[in-house]
Amino acid sequence: MSEKRPYSATIDRSAEGAGEALVCRSCGHRLCSADDIWKEAARLEESPLCESAGAVFAATDPNLMLRRFYCPGCGVALDTETALKGEPFLIDRVRG
């Protein structure tokens, strides 16, 4: 059994051989090495923020996107972010 430590509310760091991996807290699906960008391994759904339920009147720019990241193993929501269309993912890494 591998040792797990919290990475976020939905992702754990899990000991793996000589390194660590990031895994879904819900199902244990391996997303990537702890040194990689986990969002690239997640299932992504992206849509204009202005089309989202409950969008405020200030969010009318169709280039402002809502990104939803899901576990490819079980489908649980891992995270969301807003960004301009075409911008790279926000990198959120925990050190330590």
Side-chain angles (χ1 to χ4, degrees):
M1 187 157 135
S2 63
E3 177 185 336
K4 292 183 181 178
R5 295 179 302 157
Y7 179 83
S8 71
T10 57
I11 297 173
D12 285 330
R13 291 176 76 111
S14 178
E16 178 183 87
E20 288 186 315
L22 299 180
V23 300
C24 172
R25 183 171 287 174
S26 181
C27 73
H29 179 83
R30 183 187 188 282
L31 296 165
C32 64
S33 164
D35 295 327
D36 293 333
I37 300 168
W38 70 264
K39 290 177 180 177
E40 293 176 354
R43 193 179 89 231
L44 171 66
E45 288 183 8
E46 186 176 58
S47 60
L49 183 60
C50 62
E51 294 176 7
S52 299
V56 295
F57 68 92
T60 58
D61 185 341
N63 292 312
L64 184 59
M65 306 304 285
L66 174 62
R67 296 175 177 163
R68 297 176 191 92
F69 300 91
Y70 298 95
C71 172
C74 68
V76 73
L78 298 173
D79 199 6
T80 61
E81 69 182 29
T82 55
L84 291 174
K85 188 174 190 171
E87 282 192 335
F89 297 142
L90 298 174
I91 309 292
D92 50 352
R93 290 193 178 166
V94 177
R95 305 263 186 231

